Amino acid sequence: FNEDPSSQKRFRAGGETPAPRSLSTRAQLYERVFPQYRQPVEVGVFSLDSDRAFFNDSRQLRYYVDPGNKPNFNLRDGYRDRFIKRDDGVKEKLDHILRWIVANRSKLHSTHTSSSSCTLGVDFVTWRGHLTKLLTTPYETQEGWLLAVSKFRGTLYMSEVETEAARVNRENRTERHEEMMYWGYKFEQYICADDVNGVPDRGGVVNTNEAFCTVVQTRLAEHKLLFSGEVDCRDKDPRAPPAPACYVELKTSAEICTPKQRSNFHRFKLLKWWAQSFLPGVPRIVAGFRDHDGVVVSVETFHISKISQLIKNEYNCWKPTVCMNFCSDFLSFVKSVVKEDNPRVVYLFAWEPHREVTYTVHRDSQYTFLPDWYIKEMAS
Ligand code: 0WD
Ligand code: CA
């Protein structure tokens, strides 16, 4: 932590430590022993249907069907005529997770400290994707982030805010980029069946509104976390281990033809893949490697527990311990800064590559994100 130079001892009332004003993201600072990360436990699931409506069940869960290692999937098929794309200009913030919390309050490990006070019993509520961004921050050189945090009834809610740069990128995607974003979803369709004994329907419509999400609880060092992440499919074997260990993450990536491409894949892409699946305890990734024309030329399975071994020979490579220690220190930083328990106050944490993490405070602003229906529901 970098101490606020202006907050000298004489200004302090009690004996409390002043909150630091910024947090460094330099990787070397986080090279210490791996922090405690409790095995993630699935506490619930939810589904979003083709209209993006919420259901407190697993109706959108799909089943993994082994494609073999040399399939001939054409990922371009259906882009023009069988694709319904979610409107990514609509910002849903934490709404779906909050809906899940309202529907499952009793299932949560809630603490009744007195007759009246009843809290969630977790320190942080967020999306898995936001934590992935935190894990990769010490190695990120391209994209910054903005995270809005509000404290409500002792829990810190953390919701991403789109940066100006990200908005400009989103609004100016090339036609080629738009199509390539479809390829990942088309790959899922080639691999996933809707029913445990079914087969994939490669002629169907790809609708990216549909989602199946797991809700997991875990602890990173002293931080109790509750987060949700989208899950692509599960092992269909009924003897498979219970969730999240039965889940399979699907990915596509450009085929690797040169040693330079292999090195870049290890140093940059595997970092993001590892962070995303390690967080919820998803044990394997099935990757489709495709050529320039969107044809999958090979399929390979990556076991999350083996990725750190796989990358160890790369020069100047990322380290899981740096990712986890940075995330843990960031969460401590947030706890030290966010003191006012008020859903209308947002502490906006901002980071740009080659800079430190800083924050600003906003009262009744455009950044307020906890909806009235949630506040009302939790107060009753
Ligand atoms: O409000 C926001 N800023 C965000 C909301 C940013 C990211 C996600 N979300 C919400 C959406 O409601 C979505 O249903 O998160 C859900 C997925 O959450 P997550 O699992 O925490 O997100 P992440 O790990 O980044 O992405 C998982 C998958 C992606 O798969 P790949 O293999 O490409 O990583 O979720 C999809 C995508 O298929 N996805 C999204 N779906 C809806 N909205 C989004 C998004 N913004 N980003 C990725
Ligand atoms: Ca995926």
Side-chain angles (χ1 to χ4, degrees), residues 48 52 86 88 91-94 96 127-130 132 159-162 185 188 208 211 213 228-232 249-251 276:
L48 303 174
R52 207 69 181 164
R86 186 184 63 90
D88 51 14
K91 300 303 171 200
E92 301 174 322
K93 296 172 271 194
L94 298 186
H96 300 306
W127 283 107
R128 177 269 308 271
H130 302 357
T132 304
S159 179
E160 187 178 34
V161 172
E162 187 172 46
Y185 296 104
E188 292 176 12
T208 59
C213 295
S228 175
E230 200 174 315
V231 169
D232 293 326
E249 172 65 32
L250 304 176
K251 292 286 183 197
Q276 185 189 41

Side-chain angles (χ1 to χ4, degrees), residues 71-105:
N72 228 306
F73 299 153
N74 175 11
L75 303 179
R76 306 186 79 158
D77 179 50
Y79 176 63
R80 296 273 164 216
D81 56 314
R82 298 190 322 279
F83 178 31
I84 298 172
K85 187 176 170 285
R86 186 184 63 90
D87 181 352
D88 51 14
V90 176
K91 300 303 171 200
E92 301 174 322
K93 296 172 271 194
L94 298 186
D95 290 7
H96 300 306
I97 302 179
L98 303 182
R99 247 176 233 300
W100 181 88
I101 291 174
V102 165
N104 298 276
R105 269 168 84 178

